[in-house]
Amino acid sequence: MLARRALPRLQQCHRLVPFLYIRLYSTTKLSNGITLAYDLHEPAKKAERGLRDLRENAPPIVFLHGLFGSKKNNRSMTRDLNRPVYALDLRNHGDSSHDPRHDYNALAEDLELFLQHHKLTRPTLIGHSMGAKTVMTLALRNRVPIANLIPIDNAPVDAALHRDFIKYTQGMRKIDETTIHRQSDADAILKDYEESISIRQFLLGNLVRQPDGTQKWQIPIKILTNALDNMADFPFKDPEEARWEGPVLVVRGTKSHYVADEMLPVLGRFFPKFELADVESGHWVTSEKPEEFRKAVVEWLQDKE
């Protein structure tokens, strides 16, 4: 007989299957009314030394996904980091709250409140795409102490999103208008808007089965469609008025245009201690070249300890 796993004290969502509780994710209700869902990945050394000692000697990492992503995207990135890793669902994504406001100051405020709630002092913040601009915004707001920044394939500039994101929303809205029972049927619709099966699977990961057997988007497509201009923007315009002097590793895909060479001078004015790690990939760095990404991050963090 399977033993019933004890539930941790953290507020959490779970489902009951015969004789077993399976922990899916935890949630935190923030003082601004937003609820953020997250996974906490604890390294193996926890059992030997205790989580408290581990946190004191290895500050935690907070990992943020990109637009249309979720905490699930970063599970494989926690290996070899040897410290607690919080993988968050940002607002309007995954299992977190939906809210009409979706811009970088709002996303950064959510993250600030999350760090304060969990008493995460001087964490390393890693974010891809939308998550990259979120962690850079948080650093420049300078309201909570952080140790290191690792933005992945985005720069602190106003730059139009690749037109693919507009196509994604068109395809997703088309699916929303159709009665879908099988993910393969949704994929057939999305093929008209995106050729890459890996990107389609990434987007389709946001579908959830309803009690009536149909599949619907878990994310608010209309809100995120309306927020595309905000996601292209960056809230800080003048490096003379806002600058963060801490260590920054900018990881960029060499086949992507989001951190072009001509953007590096502006990046350096906002973040004068930034270093650059090039990975031979497109925009989806962590999924296209996960080992190369992990190696770059682990080696860089080792130098900072």
Side-chain angles (χ1 to χ4, degrees), residues 90-123:
L90 295 170
R91 64 167 63 193
N92 296 315
H93 287 78
D95 297 293
S96 290
S97 294
H98 296 176
D99 190 88
R101 184 182 176 192
H102 195 87
D103 58 57
Y104 288 116
N105 273 315
L107 295 172
E109 179 187 79
D110 292 347
L111 181 54
E112 290 165 355
L113 294 175
F114 183 89
L115 297 179
Q116 292 169 342
H117 179 91
H118 289 275
K119 297 179 172 59
L120 303 182
T121 57
R122 295 186 56 77

Side-chain angles (χ1 to χ4, degrees), residues 132-133 136-137 140 151 154-159 232-239 250 258-259 263-271:
K133 280 191 172 181
M136 289 186 285
T137 299
L140 295 174
N154 220 336
V157 298
D158 298 346
D233 198 4
F234 190 70
F236 292 92
K237 313 299 180 184
D238 186 357
V250 178
Y258 284 103
V259 189
M263 300 174 183
L264 298 182
V266 175
L267 201 158
R269 292 177 64 199
F270 278 119
F271 302 101

Side-chain angles (χ1 to χ4, degrees), residues 195-240:
E195 294 181 358
S196 168
I197 186 171
S198 62
I199 294 178
R200 295 201 308 271
Q201 289 173 339
F202 164 75
L203 296 172
L204 293 171
N206 290 294
L207 283 175
V208 293
R209 187 170 296 280
Q210 306 300 307
D212 64 359
T214 61
Q215 298 209 28
K216 298 292 184 182
W217 296 112
Q218 187 178 23
I219 56 178
I221 301 300
K222 184 175 180 181
I223 290 175
L224 294 177
T225 300
N226 293 338
L228 289 179
D229 286 343
N230 291 338
M231 296 298 91
D233 198 4
F234 190 70
F236 292 92
K237 313 299 180 184
D238 186 357
E240 300 304 319

Side-chain angles (χ1 to χ4, degrees), residues 24-302:
L24 297 181
Y25 58 87
S26 301
T27 61
T28 295
K29 179 71 174 288
L30 305 177
S31 59
N32 63 359
I34 295 293
T35 296
L36 292 187
Y38 68 95
D39 289 331
L40 172 56
H41 304 274
E42 298 165 351
K45 285 188 177 181
K46 175 194 172 185
E48 302 170 14
R49 296 166 49 195
L51 185 57
R52 180 176 179 181
D53 291 340
L54 183 63
R55 283 178 175 161
E56 290 175 355
N57 293 287
I61 290 172
V62 179
F63 216 130
L64 306 184
H65 58 80
L67 188 61
F68 306 130
S70 75
K71 58 186 176 300
K72 296 184 295 185
N73 304 143
N74 300 316
R75 285 173 180 166
S76 65
M77 293 296 105
T78 63
R79 183 165 54 85
D80 298 333
L81 294 178
N82 198 29
R83 62 184 70 192
V85 180
Y86 292 79
L88 271 59
D89 281 337
L90 295 170
R91 64 167 63 193
N92 296 315
H93 287 78
D95 297 293
S96 290
S97 294
H98 296 176
D99 190 88
R101 184 182 176 192
H102 195 87
D103 58 57
Y104 288 116
N105 273 315
L107 295 172
E109 179 187 79
D110 292 347
L111 181 54
E112 290 165 355
L113 294 175
F114 183 89
L115 297 179
Q116 292 169 342
H117 179 91
H118 289 275
K119 297 179 172 59
L120 303 182
T121 57
R122 295 186 56 77
T124 291
L125 303 183
I126 304 177
H128 172 249
S129 194
M130 176 182 73
K133 280 191 172 181
T134 298
V135 300
M136 289 186 285
T137 299
L138 180 143
L140 295 174
R141 282 162 61 97
N142 197 29
R143 299 182 184 184
V144 294
I146 54 178
N148 310 293
L149 283 185
I150 304 180
I152 309 167
D153 211 55
N154 220 336
V157 298
D158 298 346
L161 295 178
H162 196 285
R163 63 184 301 272
D164 285 349
F165 283 96
I166 298 175
K167 291 196 302 179
Y168 300 158
T169 61
Q170 292 171 342
M172 294 166 85
R173 294 182 80 165
K174 181 69 174 178
I175 292 170
D176 213 23
E177 297 165 359
T178 308
T179 301
I180 297 293
H181 288 86
R182 299 181 303 176
Q183 194 171 99
S184 59
D185 295 331
D187 184 59
I189 295 174
L190 206 55
K191 280 182 181 178
D192 291 337
Y193 301 88
E194 173 54 51
E195 294 181 358
S196 168
I197 186 171
S198 62
I199 294 178
R200 295 201 308 271
Q201 289 173 339
F202 164 75
L203 296 172
L204 293 171
N206 290 294
L207 283 175
V208 293
R209 187 170 296 280
Q210 306 300 307
D212 64 359
T214 61
Q215 298 209 28
K216 298 292 184 182
W217 296 112
Q218 187 178 23
I219 56 178
I221 301 300
K222 184 175 180 181
I223 290 175
L224 294 177
T225 300
N226 293 338
L228 289 179
D229 286 343
N230 291 338
M231 296 298 91
D233 198 4
F234 190 70
F236 292 92
K237 313 299 180 184
D238 186 357
E240 300 304 319
E241 297 180 357
R243 183 179 292 111
W244 194 69
E245 302 281 352
V248 178
L249 177 67
V250 178
V251 182
R252 67 173 177 176
T254 56
K255 301 175 184 177
S256 171
H257 74 282
Y258 284 103
V259 189
D261 287 344
E262 56 267 26
M263 300 174 183
L264 298 182
V266 175
L267 201 158
R269 292 177 64 199
F270 278 119
F271 302 101
K273 294 182 180 179
F274 91 92
E275 301 173 56
L276 192 63
D278 284 342
V279 176
E280 190 176 349
S281 74
H283 180 59
W284 309 94
V285 179
T286 58
S287 59
E288 293 181 45
K289 294 294 180 70
E291 291 305 321
E292 288 87 340
F293 169 77
R294 186 184 293 108
K295 183 174 183 291
V297 168
V298 169
E299 291 180 354
W300 188 78
L301 287 176
Q302 285 174 344

